[in-house]
Amino acid sequence: MQFAIVNKERTVASPGQAGNCPACGGAMIAKCGTQRIHHWAHRGVRRCDSWWEAETAWHRAWKSRFPVEWREVVQYDQYGEKHIADVRTGHGLTIEFQHCHLKPEERAARENFYGNMVWVVDGARLTRDLPRFAEGASWFIRTARKGLYIVPFPDEVFPKNWLGCRVPVIIDFCNANGLSEETKCLTWPLWCLLPGRVRGHAAVLQLSREVFVSWAHAGARPIPAQAILQDVGRYLLEQKQLAEREALRATMLARQYHGWPRQGLRRRYARF
Ligand SMILES: [Zn+2]
């Protein structure tokens, strides 16, 4: 953890220091070696939050974009269960930065516990994730809304573990390797997979780190997923109706030029 309580103050780790855990009150010692980022660890093998994962420089860089008082906030539910949110904004939004693999049950449990939350996932964990995303991105359908794309086959584009989330999942590929120069641009922005599907299609928002952080500062629900999904539904319906009109027009033209038998035509029209 980045903070422990020393003399009643949240304090970052420095060599030789001792403190107490803000969640369980247990003794903590500062770990200030050269291999890992400086952090606090419980004395002995104790770990008070089973959901807590060892922090990396990636976690720390993300958390540093938010005010100190929003980081590592202990949250309780109505039954007294407690967990430490990576970031809990002043508007009540939890942001969890996830590098390690998560079992689907734990992922769902965290979403239930925190309620209003957003995942930010390290897209560099598995080497195949970015190449698969890059391949799938060629099928993205651009929409009138800046940065919003429709994904026809989400199962083939996003990591399996993150497909069934009930909250937005932001994938950060900034540390990933293995792309050609032409597709490197995919690693610069964040890609936010929205929860919910419309006729099997997903919606993904491309946004910068700065935009995401400013949205999180601005309000409790930074990403209007439901409204966006409704727009996507309307767009897909319009496209379907357009395709049907085009097909009908083509049939009419064919009749005009080739004089198809009336019976056959009636069968064709019956579809519309
Ligand atoms: Zn503790």
Side-chain angles (χ1 to χ4, degrees), residues 21 23-26 28 42 46 48:
C21 171
C24 69
M28 297 194 101
H42 287 87
R46 183 187 165 89
C48 67

Side-chain angles (χ1 to χ4, degrees), residues 98-226:
Q98 191 64 29
H99 168 77
C100 295
H101 170 73
L102 260 191
K103 288 183 182 162
E105 311 84 63
E106 184 179 328
R107 180 181 56 64
R110 289 209 217 176
E111 289 173 9
N112 282 335
F113 181 84
Y114 291 122
N116 181 28
M117 72 170 290
V118 173
W119 291 105
V120 177
V121 176
D122 185 356
R125 195 179 71 84
L126 295 177
T127 49
R128 67 175 183 276
D129 282 349
L130 179 58
R132 185 177 51 194
F133 180 85
E135 209 178 308
S138 59
W139 294 95
F140 287 5
I141 303 165
R142 192 186 289 271
T143 70
R145 183 182 172 128
K146 189 172 174 246
L148 176 67
Y149 298 87
I150 298 170
V151 185
F153 314 107
D155 297 9
E156 294 173 27
V157 177
F158 297 99
K160 202 170 106 197
N161 279 355
W162 298 101
L163 281 167
C165 291
R166 293 195 299 111
V167 300
V169 180
I170 292 178
I171 303 179
D172 177 7
F173 289 116
C174 74
N175 291 329
N177 295 312
L179 275 189
S180 64
E181 283 304 315
E182 299 86 70
T183 44
K184 271 266 169 63
C185 56
L186 294 172
T187 64
W188 300 332
L190 303 171
W191 296 90
C192 178
L193 173 65
L194 301 183
R197 301 287 180 268
V198 182
R199 287 191 227 131
H201 294 61
V204 69
L205 257 184
Q206 183 197 48
L207 69 168
S208 69
R209 283 159 183 72
E210 291 71 25
V211 165
F212 170 59
V213 171
S214 70
W215 283 0
H217 277 76
R221 303 236 172 224
I223 300 164
Q226 213 172 354

